[in-house]
Amino acid sequence: MNRNRRNFLKVGAAAGALTLTGFPHIWSRNASLAYAADGEIKVGVLFSLTGTTAIIEESLNKATLMAIEEINAAGGINGMKITPVIEDPASDPATFAEKARKLVLSDRCVSVFGSYTSASRKAVLPVFEKQDNLFWYPTLYEGRECSKNVIYTGAVPNQQQDDFIPWLVEKFGKRWYLIGSNYIYPKEENNYCKKLLEKLGAEVIAEEYVPLGHSEFSSVINKFRSEKPSVIFSTVVGDSVVALHRQYRAAGLDPATMPMASLTTSENEVAAMGGDAAAGHFTSAPYFMVFDSPENQKFVEAYRSRWGGDKVTHFVSESSYFQVHLFKQAVAKLAASDISPVTIREAVKGEQYKAPQGLVKVEPENLHCWLRPKIGQCKADGQFEILTQSADWLEPNPYSAYPNQKCTAEGLKEI
Amino acid sequence: MSGKLTRQFLIYGAVCLCILLVPVVVDDAFLLNKYARYLVFGMLAIALSLSWGYAGILNLGQATTFGIGSYCMAMFLKLKTVPVHTGSEGLPDFMVWNNVTELPWIWVPFQSTTFSLLAGILLPALFAALLGWFIFGGRIAGVYAAIITLAVMVVANLIIIDQQSYTGGFNGITDLAEFSFLGIDFDAYSASTYYLVAASLTVTLFLALAVSRSKTGLILQAVRDQEERVRFFGYDVALYKTFVFALSAGIAGLAGMLYTIVMEFASPTFLGVPLSLSIVIWVAVGGRQSLIGAMLGAILVTGVQGALSESEAFLETWTLIMGGLFVLIVLLMPKGLAGAIEALVRRLPQAGNGRSARHTEPDHRPETHPNLGGTQ
């Protein structure tokens, strides 16, 4: 005890001296402050409310806030309320980094829920790794990341493709046209897709990348017409998805013989392009709004009564919602004085939750989630019809395209 | 004249001193990091003030050279992480993802500290000199020059996004090593980084002041006001314009390097249209014909923007409020805040303060110059 006090004094004196000389090392000073104080637990909510990705990120913001309200209304976590600190990073990676710093350093949030694009996740990553804080990322992404400071609750390539690709090959055939936006996500998804296709003896007749935000697909559609692929595997994202679907339909192509198979077209994108343009095409995802489960019924009803009857839920807003509940379960296991980003990370390992999509679990090795992939076909009313669903939950493997690498609790391992 | 010079020198010195003393008062790592970021924007504003306010070249692509500087620093710091954070090939992670097997030639020189630090300033300057030689040599002026700078930036941005195996593409260059120089570690959250930025800002400001006060600076202002007349006097107008354009680019490049240190990544959005237009707004708000006004304009605008967007009350409306403020300032104060303050000070002598200002200010144009292009 004495020793501790002496140490404390020493540290305090050193900190004081350094402050006076103009080199403050405030870590030692702030470290004694508890994360959970005055019966509240502060968490950051970091989704763009303005800028180019605001439409989709607002729905994630809403799902996150709704989950927090639910938990607080039910008595909070061991009597403590979750206090959300909401920031608007304005769809700009630099602003994402600035706001993440504010949430972690200035507000001392114990976790931050947020972000949609990979670019924004990459921008905030150094903040969380350096401060050993925790970032909860709800979006499906390309994998190949192994950070002990991120809980990934969206799907990685193997979870969306393992069932989907063989199913499509069997149903439609072996001539595949890969079209994607030109950045890392589509390239990685296609890297894995090509591996699966090779195993199945299918052929890639074209692999094409259009610039992000591209909206003029007539030459691509002409190629569809002349090449007659049996499946168009689309990893086009954002506004381009809307343009591609509309122009496909305007060109009079038929989804029954040449369907587009997508990993990113959710109810949200369909709402933007109109159900007519999306009807007949396929998406693989762990969650669809029409999924029939008591948890999902409750989720959709609560979402619509909270945010408006015309709102849709989709596979990223669902994971935004359930990850807050996983957070709650992890924190509930801890004594109030023990709550910190590191203890929450340890507590959430192996944690299970009955999400709208079904029971999910956090994989202790790589902090990604075991999810329940489904295949949906879009209908003209803007909803999907679920055609198949995996019999069991599926393990996340962020390095699925790279069998000699494995993400473990100790970091990335070469095998 | 000399009294005014002394006064200006004193004001500049006092402001810089205040900026340098901030870490003595503020000992919050988050705030220091945030303020350092604002100071970088201040440097960008100085760069634009030189070319726009003094030489009448409206550069809508100031972020191009900022981005080049930023990427130079990011490439240098990325190579420092090899092979600790990378795959077995010992290459930056995104190259491994893109199936690149050996270090591309443009990356090789960035293994050297000296080269990288020089490149961050000289590459942008060289780039701007070439572009300037083309624009001004071709006697392209006003709006047309502005459009070219904007177009070049969009092209540069597209190239960076498209060539992702060499640039990291849309995600930019992330996961960087900490910058350390002459034995000092510049942790993004430390006072040392703040001092680095603040010192660079001070040096930049006085360098820019010296240039604006020199004979070259006077010729540039003359070019801004009456380009043809200066040309008749026998001056090589294109050369002067190219010089200030390159100088401005070098400053932006330095700012870009510092920005990478402060933000810990480089992104194609650093060469984006939104940032470039923001710089124009900062400078317009602060006063484009005053270096310190432009600099304080940038710090003020980004500071208010940060504070507004962080307060819960304005979460939904902060962009609207910022927009309204800009419109008001540009409408009511065509010379920006600095111009308004100067006008205010000039009126004061009647009230008894005789020392601080004179009625005759030979080196300042008496009239405002409301049109955006600055050149006719």
Side-chain angles (χ1 to χ4, degrees):
Chain A
M1 201 59 195
N2 250 337
R3 232 183 102 81
N4 276 346
R5 190 175 304 155
R6 201 178 307 148
N7 270 346
F8 177 77
L9 283 175
K10 239 190 261 170
V11 171
L18 286 169
T19 310
L20 284 178
T21 52
F23 284 88
H25 284 240
I26 67 148
W27 308 126
S28 43
R29 224 159 34 87
N30 269 358
S32 59
L33 288 173
Y35 273 104
D38 305 327
E40 64 163 21
I41 300 165
K42 271 207 239 174
V43 299
V45 180
L46 190 63
F47 295 104
S48 302
L49 306 175
T50 53
T52 48
T53 52
I55 293 176
I56 182 107
E57 292 196 43
E58 260 197 88
S59 67
L60 313 183
N61 180 56
K62 289 184 164 126
T64 306
L65 293 180
M66 189 178 89
I68 293 173
E69 287 167 6
E70 265 178 23
I71 293 164
N72 285 341
I77 309 176
N78 296 337
M80 293 173 290
K81 292 262 181 275
I82 306 180
T83 310
V85 184
I86 307 164
E87 290 296 342
D88 174 15
S91 312
D92 170 48
T95 316
F96 260 100
E98 186 199 342
K99 300 297 184 198
R101 280 171 187 164
K102 176 190 175 274
L103 293 171
V104 170
L105 289 166
S106 176
D107 296 324
R108 287 188 54 77
C109 293
V110 75
S111 278
V112 175
F113 304 97
S115 113
Y116 178 68
T117 63
S118 279
S120 56
R121 186 189 68 255
K122 292 274 187 205
V124 300
L125 211 55
V127 184
F128 290 90
E129 297 202 320
K130 203 171 231 169
Q131 311 302 336
D132 213 359
N133 207 294
L134 213 50
F135 187 61
W136 299 68
Y137 180 65
T139 317
L140 64 144
Y141 84 112
E142 66 276 7
R144 271 201 122 156
E145 210 169 88
C146 188
S147 171
K148 62 180 174 37
N149 299 96
V150 185
I151 311 287
Y152 306 84
T153 55
V156 286
N158 75 305
Q159 290 172 311
Q160 284 183 291
Q161 294 195 27
D162 277 358
D163 293 347
F164 197 31
I165 306 298
W167 185 87
L168 286 164
V169 167
E170 191 186 326
K171 248 185 122 164
F172 293 98
K174 297 191 166 178
R175 287 167 54 79
W176 281 54
Y177 197 114
L178 311 187
I179 172 103
S181 297
N182 190 9
Y183 75 114
I184 193 82
Y185 169 75
K187 292 203 167 177
E188 280 293 311
E189 290 286 0
N190 284 345
N191 274 346
Y192 187 59
C193 180
K194 282 186 282 186
K195 289 206 159 202
L196 291 177
L197 289 177
E198 199 186 321
K199 255 187 251 167
L200 296 162
E203 168 199 12
V204 176
I205 55 172
E207 181 178 356
E208 190 173 342
Y209 296 95
V210 295
L212 280 159
H214 191 69
S215 61
E216 179 43 62
F217 286 96
S218 50
S219 75
V220 171
I221 283 172
N222 278 337
K223 278 184 242 164
F224 291 168
R225 202 177 267 138
S226 60
E227 297 282 344
K228 294 191 175 50
S230 34
V231 177
I232 299 160
F233 187 65
S234 160
T235 41
V236 170
V237 300
D239 293 342
S240 305
V241 177
V242 177
L244 177 61
H245 279 79
R246 285 196 177 149
Q247 289 168 30
Y248 176 101
R249 183 175 152 80
L253 298 177
D254 184 9
T257 53
M258 197 196 290
M260 287 199 271
S262 164
L263 307 176
T264 51
T265 311
S266 73
E267 288 84 351
N268 191 71
E269 279 78 13
V270 174
M273 72 181 79
D276 286 342
H281 298 295
F282 298 94
T283 295
S284 164
Y287 171 85
F288 291 102
M289 191 172 172
V290 294
F291 182 61
D292 190 20
S293 75
E295 289 78 19
N296 186 37
Q297 213 172 356
K298 202 182 123 226
F299 171 58
V300 172
E301 267 168 30
Y303 192 86
R304 291 195 146 173
S305 71
R306 177 70 179 86
W307 302 111
D310 57 336
K311 294 280 187 286
V312 293
T313 58
H314 52 90
F315 52 77
V316 193
S317 69
E318 188 247 6
S319 44
S320 302
Y321 170 80
F322 80 66
Q323 67 179 10
V324 181
H325 284 277
L326 282 171
F327 167 83
K328 179 218 156 182
Q329 290 184 6
V331 175
K333 296 203 290 190
L334 302 168
S337 57
D338 282 346
I339 295 174
S340 77
V342 177
T343 52
I344 294 173
R345 174 179 70 221
E346 294 310 314
V348 83
K349 286 180 177 175
E351 202 57 40
Q352 302 185 9
Y353 177 72
K354 206 138 201 311
Q357 64 171 275
L359 192 65
V360 296
K361 179 175 88 169
V362 179
E363 167 57 43
E365 287 290 336
N366 55 32
L367 301 177
H368 289 62
C369 283
W370 292 67
L371 301 172
R372 298 180 172 270
K374 301 165 179 65
I375 298 172
Q377 183 173 31
C378 194
K379 296 186 302 180
D381 66 357
Q383 289 292 335
F384 284 83
E385 182 187 349
I386 299 174
L387 302 175
T388 71
Q389 49 181 306
S390 63
D392 204 355
W393 52 16
L394 203 64
E395 182 184 2
N397 182 2
Y399 288 80
S400 48
Y402 306 88
N404 60 338
Q405 290 179 318
K406 193 169 168 55
C407 181
T408 70
E410 287 79 44
L412 190 60
K413 287 250 168 76
E414 305 270 336
I415 309 168
Chain B
M1 175 71 195
S2 76
K4 175 158 168 44
L5 187 62
T6 320
R7 181 168 63 99
Q8 192 172 26
F9 202 79
L10 281 176
I11 294 174
Y12 276 51
V15 170
C16 288
L17 194 65
C18 286
I19 288 172
L20 282 164
L21 285 178
V22 164
V24 180
V25 190
V26 177
D27 68 343
D28 182 314
F30 163 69
L31 288 179
L32 282 180
N33 180 269
K34 187 158 93 169
Y35 295 160
R37 185 168 175 239
Y38 296 162
L39 296 187
V40 171
F41 293 147
M43 285 175 76
L44 269 176
I46 294 173
L48 185 65
S49 171
L50 265 185
S51 68
W52 186 28
Y54 282 87
I57 309 162
L58 176 56
N59 186 351
L60 290 180
Q62 192 77 55
T64 318
T65 46
F66 176 71
I68 296 174
S70 165
Y71 270 84
C72 285
M73 181 54 91
M75 287 160 84
F76 168 61
L77 294 180
K78 186 74 193 172
L79 287 177
K80 292 251 171 217
T81 65
V82 175
V84 193
H85 297 195
T86 50
S88 48
E89 293 89 346
L91 287 171
D93 48 10
F94 65 85
M95 289 189 191
V96 182
W97 299 345
N98 283 290
N99 310 317
V100 175
T101 48
E102 62 178 282
L103 199 65
W105 62 269
I106 43 165
W107 275 73
V108 173
F110 286 93
Q111 287 167 333
S112 145
T113 311
T114 322
F115 176 85
S116 306
L117 297 185
L118 287 176
I121 299 171
L122 295 181
L123 274 184
L126 195 67
F127 177 82
L130 282 172
L131 186 65
W133 173 73
F134 165 72
I135 296 177
F136 308 124
R139 297 205 186 173
I140 301 165
V143 156
Y144 302 101
I147 291 173
I148 292 176
T149 57
L150 188 67
V152 166
M153 177 174 64
V154 172
V155 170
N157 183 289
L158 280 179
I159 290 175
I160 287 184
I161 291 177
D162 192 64
Q163 295 299 310
Q164 52 180 315
S165 29
Y166 308 113
T167 60
F170 190 63
N171 286 355
I173 303 179
T174 59
D175 188 19
L176 305 177
E178 201 162 272
F179 178 61
S180 82
F181 187 60
L182 302 175
I184 307 170
D185 287 334
F186 293 97
D187 178 344
Y189 304 94
S190 67
S192 53
T193 299
Y194 182 89
Y195 282 130
L196 176 70
V197 178
S200 308
L201 179 73
T202 307
V203 170
T204 306
L205 185 63
F206 279 96
L207 176 76
L209 183 65
V211 171
S212 74
R213 287 269 158 191
S214 67
K215 188 176 165 228
T216 308
L218 284 176
I219 294 167
L220 283 170
Q221 292 176 58
V223 167
R224 174 193 66 196
D225 296 338
Q226 271 298 343
E227 185 168 335
E228 287 305 315
R229 205 173 285 179
V230 179
R231 192 170 284 129
F232 289 148
F233 280 143
Y235 290 105
D236 187 345
V237 169
L239 187 69
Y240 280 97
K241 281 180 138 183
T242 306
F243 164 74
V244 78
F245 199 58
L247 177 67
S248 162
I251 294 173
L254 175 62
M257 287 205 289
L258 295 168
Y259 200 57
T260 295
I261 297 172
V262 172
M263 299 304 288
E264 303 176 279
F265 72 102
S267 153
T269 55
F270 294 179
L271 294 83
V273 176
L275 178 63
S276 266
L277 296 186
S278 298
I279 305 170
V280 175
I281 290 172
W282 304 333
V283 174
V285 167
R288 66 193 157 103
Q289 282 163 25
S290 159
L291 293 166
I292 203 154
M295 178 190 93
L296 291 175
I299 297 173
L300 191 75
V301 171
T302 47
V304 170
Q305 198 166 321
L308 269 186
S309 69
E310 272 164 27
S311 68
E312 223 170 303
F314 299 111
L315 194 62
E316 311 268 332
T317 50
W318 68 273
T319 35
L320 193 68
I321 295 174
M322 289 311 291
L325 283 178
F326 295 150
V327 173
L328 276 182
I329 289 180
V330 173
L331 277 179
L332 300 178
M333 307 175 200
K335 281 182 115 182
L337 293 173
I341 291 171
E342 206 170 318
L344 206 67
V345 171
R346 210 175 301 170
R347 274 191 214 161
L348 279 180
Q350 275 95 346
N353 187 355
R355 198 201 63 85
S356 64
R358 309 251 161 96
H359 286 279
T360 49
E361 292 193 344
D363 50 339
H364 263 259
R365 295 185 315 135
E367 274 174 35
T368 59
H369 205 65
N371 69 316
L372 276 177
T375 53
Q376 285 93 349

